Amino acid sequence: MDMKELLSVRHQVKELKKDNYLFREGDAIGGVYIIRSGKIQIEKVTPNGRELTLKICGPGQLVGEVTLFSDRPKYMLDARAVEDAVCLHISIDDLEEALLSNARLSVAFMKWMGIDQQKTQTKFRDLMLHGKKGALYSTLIRLSNSYGVKKENGVLIDLVLTNQDLANFCGMTREVVNRMLAELKKRGVLTLSEGKILLHDIQHLKEETNCEDCPIYLCKID
């Protein structure tokens, strides 16, 4: 959406240190946030204590809820800083006033909400249709679309990730991810170096998950 117009709306600056929360599940929704610097991870803790990471948002991205304008809205997810971050907070009242007075901004905001829902739906589609393999393979593809840097021998996911981080993205245990990565490494699909993943054969991952070649803006981790 047109971030320049949204930045013209009255807002407050909020600074976060790494591992501090922007908001927690169950908190009353007071507005939306624009990330000015740093990264914010959107996550969910299941009833059995397992952590599920839905996305990582970076500078210029909007963080909020599609239930923003419902009656007494509450956050359904946690938002945690994975590095020091600065966010701009726009209250519900100020956002609503801006949307009512600016038709172009209203359309852009609705598009953002629709795209955000589509991203979530495609992620769960991969998990439901292709199980653990689909969850990991599609996560690697999304990471490459968000943080990929082309190299001579593949695409480097330029983000330090532990196997536990990947497990959280996929809703699996670290041990399962360990085994699956080892198999992909054995087959030459990827290599690991200093916490980063170099994908040598993305096409293999796409074929194994019956990739539908969704638009890049849907097939991202952010």
Side-chain angles (χ1 to χ4, degrees):
M1 64 187 297
D2 191 340
M3 302 306 297
K4 290 183 179 180
E5 289 195 54
L6 196 58
L7 288 172
S8 68
V9 180
R10 183 168 54 188
H11 58 263
Q12 295 180 325
V13 178
K14 183 169 184 176
E15 298 183 1
L16 284 175
K17 292 294 185 182
K18 181 180 178 181
D19 289 328
N20 285 349
Y21 285 88
L22 187 61
F23 53 78
R24 301 298 304 268
E25 180 180 357
D27 290 348
I29 297 178
V32 296
Y33 295 89
I34 302 171
I35 303 174
R36 190 163 72 183
S37 64
K39 290 185 177 65
I40 301 293
Q41 181 167 291
I42 308 302
E43 55 194 29
K44 171 82 173 180
V45 178
T46 65
N48 62 2
R50 180 173 295 176
E51 183 180 301
L52 177 63
T53 301
L54 298 179
K55 58 184 176 180
I56 297 176
C57 301
Q61 290 187 282
L62 197 62
V63 177
E65 292 271 359
V66 293
T67 57
L68 180 68
F69 295 113
S70 61
D71 185 38
R72 296 179 181 179
K74 292 185 178 181
Y75 289 110
M76 302 172 65
L77 304 165
D78 294 332
R80 179 171 59 87
V82 292
E83 59 186 45
D84 291 353
V86 177
C87 300
L88 309 180
H89 178 255
I90 301 175
S91 71
I92 292 178
D93 290 341
D94 288 335
L95 178 61
E96 187 171 4
E97 182 179 340
L99 295 177
L100 287 171
S101 62
N102 188 329
R104 189 168 66 177
L105 184 61
S106 297
V107 172
F109 192 78
M110 286 189 289
K111 285 182 178 178
W112 168 77
M113 289 195 296
I115 289 172
D116 194 60
Q117 282 188 311
Q118 284 181 287
K119 286 181 179 179
T120 301
Q121 289 171 355
T122 56
K123 181 172 182 177
F124 282 110
R125 175 202 62 194
D126 292 338
L127 179 60
M128 295 298 293
L129 293 180
H130 304 292
K132 295 176 180 178
K133 183 172 69 174
L136 178 60
Y137 290 13
S138 65
T139 294
L140 291 173
I141 294 170
R142 285 180 167 83
L143 284 167
S144 72
N145 287 336
S146 294
Y147 299 102
V149 177
K150 289 186 178 180
K151 300 291 183 179
E152 289 185 4
N153 55 344
V155 176
L156 175 70
I157 298 175
D158 194 18
L159 185 69
V160 175
L161 294 164
T162 66
N163 287 6
Q164 185 61 59
D165 291 331
L166 285 173
N168 292 346
F169 274 116
C170 304
M172 298 188 293
T173 64
R174 180 173 54 82
E175 291 74 19
V176 171
V177 170
N178 290 348
R179 290 196 296 270
M180 295 177 71
L181 288 177
E183 179 62 25
L184 288 173
K185 184 177 179 181
K186 181 180 178 181
R187 288 152 56 186
V189 177
L190 58 78
T191 52
L192 309 172
S193 177
E194 298 180 353
K196 296 183 179 180
I197 299 172
L198 179 61
L199 298 175
H200 303 293
D201 190 356
I202 293 180
Q203 188 59 37
H204 172 79
L205 302 178
K206 291 182 177 182
E207 290 173 356
E208 288 293 305
T209 54
N210 295 320
C211 177
E212 298 176 4
D213 287 322
C214 298
I216 293 295
Y217 69 83
L218 288 181
C219 191
K220 300 180 75 175
I221 211 71
D222 48 20

